[in-house]
Amino acid sequence: MLKAVILDFDGIIIDSETIWFDIFNKWFKDNHQYDLPITEFTKCVGSEKEDLFIYLEDKYDFEIDRKKFEHDTIDLFIELTKDIPVMDGIEDFIKVVKKHNLKLGLCTSATIKKPTYHLNRLDLMKYFDAITTADDVERIKPFPDLYENALKKLNVKPNEVIVIEDSYNGLLSANSAGIKTIVVPNYVTKHFNFEEAFMIKNSVKEIDLKGLIKSWE
């Protein structure tokens, strides 16, 4: 029986990943005269930017100043996302989840400040039964820890949950926790191979939640 839906945050609720890519790309152009391709940027989507930094340092012999990167980019990101709209179709999808009396969780590799700020701003916080962030675990996506923590908070088993993700790291994390995952790729994450997903949809509007509930039963 389907008892809960767990949503990723970046790329599912708000499209912050496209903004981050533009920021990363500009920073590497300004500081390393390097045009960062999306295919390389995706190494840190849904996970940690350190994964990308290590890759670039090993491949191109860069010396990336982490403190300078944080100083140059964090305020810019906050400014560019302060009025970012909710992703198309997600608010209606959330309301359908609650209409069917399913629990709703959020599972993100971000720390708590960002999702809570945006969920409150968008008036979506009231729908969530549990929120799991990087503050709750030692290892973030692609490890299963975040989703395992979310299962405990929601008090459900892996076979009672469906996850909505947009990134390959998120898919690996949910699959490793034994949860079926619907992937909704966006402009950035469409470059991944999602053959291990339970389903792939172009939008949350395409997800037939009523049909999923019936198939679980």
Side-chain angles (χ1 to χ4, degrees):
M1 183 177 186
L2 187 62
K3 295 183 178 180
V5 174
I6 302 177
L7 303 177
D8 176 42
F9 182 70
D10 292 298
I12 293 296
I13 294 180
I14 62 171
D15 186 18
S16 55
E17 286 169 353
T18 302
I19 293 173
W20 263 128
F21 171 65
D22 291 340
I23 291 173
F24 270 68
N25 196 4
K26 184 178 186 306
W27 192 86
F28 276 97
K29 282 181 180 178
D30 293 345
N31 291 272
H32 293 279
Q33 295 74 55
Y34 181 66
D35 190 2
L36 180 71
I38 286 183
T39 51
E40 290 184 340
F41 172 71
T42 54
K43 292 183 179 298
C44 68
V45 174
S47 186
E48 297 182 282
K49 57 182 174 292
E50 186 64 18
D51 294 340
L52 173 64
F53 292 166
I54 292 172
Y55 167 83
L56 293 174
E57 288 177 330
D58 288 345
K59 186 171 183 178
Y60 301 111
D61 200 30
F62 290 159
E63 291 186 12
I64 300 171
D65 187 332
R66 272 71 166 171
K67 289 184 178 179
K68 186 176 191 306
F69 179 88
E70 291 294 328
H71 177 269
D72 293 347
T73 63
I74 192 63
D75 288 341
L76 177 60
F77 176 78
I78 292 172
E79 177 63 25
L80 291 176
T81 60
K82 68 179 183 180
D83 297 317
I84 192 171
V86 67
M87 292 284 283
D88 188 33
I90 195 65
E91 186 170 3
D92 288 339
F93 179 77
I94 287 173
K95 289 178 179 178
V96 172
V97 170
K98 303 312 291 184
K99 179 182 178 181
H100 286 90
N101 297 314
L102 300 178
K103 294 180 180 180
L104 182 64
L106 184 79
C107 191
T108 175
S109 289
T111 54
I112 191 67
K113 183 178 180 179
K114 181 172 69 172
T116 52
Y117 167 76
H118 286 291
L119 290 177
N120 283 316
R121 177 181 64 84
L122 296 166
D123 196 29
L124 296 176
M125 181 66 80
K126 59 190 177 186
Y127 297 110
F128 286 86
D129 300 289
I131 294 177
T132 298
T133 73
D135 299 303
D136 295 306
V137 298
E138 292 186 6
R139 303 181 304 177
I140 59 173
K141 304 171 187 178
F143 296 100
D145 306 35
L146 280 165
Y147 280 108
E148 290 173 346
N149 183 278
L151 292 174
K152 291 179 182 178
K153 287 186 176 183
L154 292 168
N155 192 28
V156 291
K157 299 174 182 178
N159 62 357
E160 298 172 331
V161 180
I162 192 74
V163 161
I164 315 297
E165 271 281 359
D166 74 304
S167 73
Y168 186 62
N169 284 321
L171 172 62
L172 288 178
S173 178
N175 280 1
S176 295
I179 310 171
K180 290 181 178 179
T181 307
I182 299 175
V183 174
V184 183
N186 54 44
Y187 171 74
V188 172
T189 62
K190 66 182 181 181
H191 300 276
F192 287 106
N193 181 344
F194 293 114
E195 62 182 13
E196 299 167 37
F198 175 59
M199 292 181 181
I200 302 174
K201 300 293 184 180
N202 294 315
S203 167
V204 293
K205 292 179 178 179
E206 297 180 2
I207 299 174
D208 177 12
L209 188 59
K210 186 176 180 180
L212 285 171
I213 293 170
K214 185 176 181 180
S215 67
W216 243 263
E217 293 174 348

